[in-house]
Amino acid sequence: MKDQPQAKVVRAVDRRFSTTAFEIAGYTIVQNHGLVRGLTVRTPHVGKAVFGAFASLGGGESATYIEMAEKARETAFVRLLEHAAAAGGNGVIGIRYTGQEVLEGMTEVMAYGTAVTLAPTQQVLGQQQYQQPIASSPPAFQSPPPQQQSYAPQYAPVKN
């Protein structure tokens, strides 16, 4: 019997702890893990490109290209959440998107933000006290030993 390839489990930050703001109500940032990003480069397959080109002749919105753009943003966002978890965070703040055409018909979409460790905030008699970080958080972040390289995400092609 042939050995079956093992599915790789990828951990990601919970979407509920991601925001374009620089704070999340009810939580305190207890550690900053730095800049994280998610990247994808998309190009429509021939059928969608031809259909999209004909649809654009009539003007208005192109559902084909809107769908492609939404898939690209979602892929970049998921990769951002994975990168944040790999960096040691359980939340991402200050999320932004950027996009540009790399080659004709080929678009790069990047989501970026700051990975942080969040802990629920409690107000007790006017004093701010911190609970332990939320359950899904990783252990406290430690700098890698000098012989290790910093984390760089590896992207696998996304099937349409």
Side-chain angles (χ1 to χ4, degrees):
M1 185 172 178
K2 292 183 180 179
D3 291 330
Q4 296 294 325
Q6 296 293 323
K8 184 178 179 183
V9 177
V10 178
R11 195 170 71 90
V13 167
D14 186 324
R15 290 172 180 261
R16 295 174 298 167
F17 300 107
S18 63
T19 181
T20 58
F22 294 100
E23 61 185 13
I24 294 179
Y27 292 86
T28 300
I29 297 169
V30 295
Q31 192 164 9
N32 179 331
H33 300 285
L35 180 69
V36 290
R37 77 254 179 239
L39 177 72
T40 187
V41 176
R42 289 286 181 137
T43 184
H45 62 72
V46 175
K48 281 192 176 187
V50 170
F51 181 75
F54 280 119
S56 68
L57 292 176
E61 289 189 339
S62 169
T64 301
Y65 287 113
I66 290 173
E67 177 186 352
M68 187 181 80
E70 283 299 326
K71 283 183 180 179
R73 286 185 196 100
E74 178 64 16
T75 300
F77 180 67
V78 168
R79 289 178 176 167
L80 164 78
L81 297 177
E82 291 169 354
H83 189 191
N90 65 0
V92 185
I93 60 171
I95 296 175
R96 302 290 186 266
Y97 287 93
T98 184
Q100 64 183 3
E101 191 170 52
V102 180
L103 296 171
E104 187 176 336
M106 187 177 292
T107 304
E108 170 197 64
V109 175
M110 182 170 58
Y112 60 96
T114 302
V116 294
T117 297
L118 300 167
T121 302
Q122 254 187 357
Q123 297 292 332
V124 179
L125 299 175
Q127 295 179 351
Q128 201 172 41
Q129 295 183 350
Y130 303 105
Q131 297 175 347
Q132 291 296 317
I134 57 179
S136 65
S137 69
F141 179 79
Q142 297 176 355
S143 297
Q147 70 272 12
Q148 290 184 344
Q149 297 288 329
S150 62
Y151 173 78
Q154 300 297 313
Y155 296 126
V158 176
K159 294 181 181 177
N160 290 332

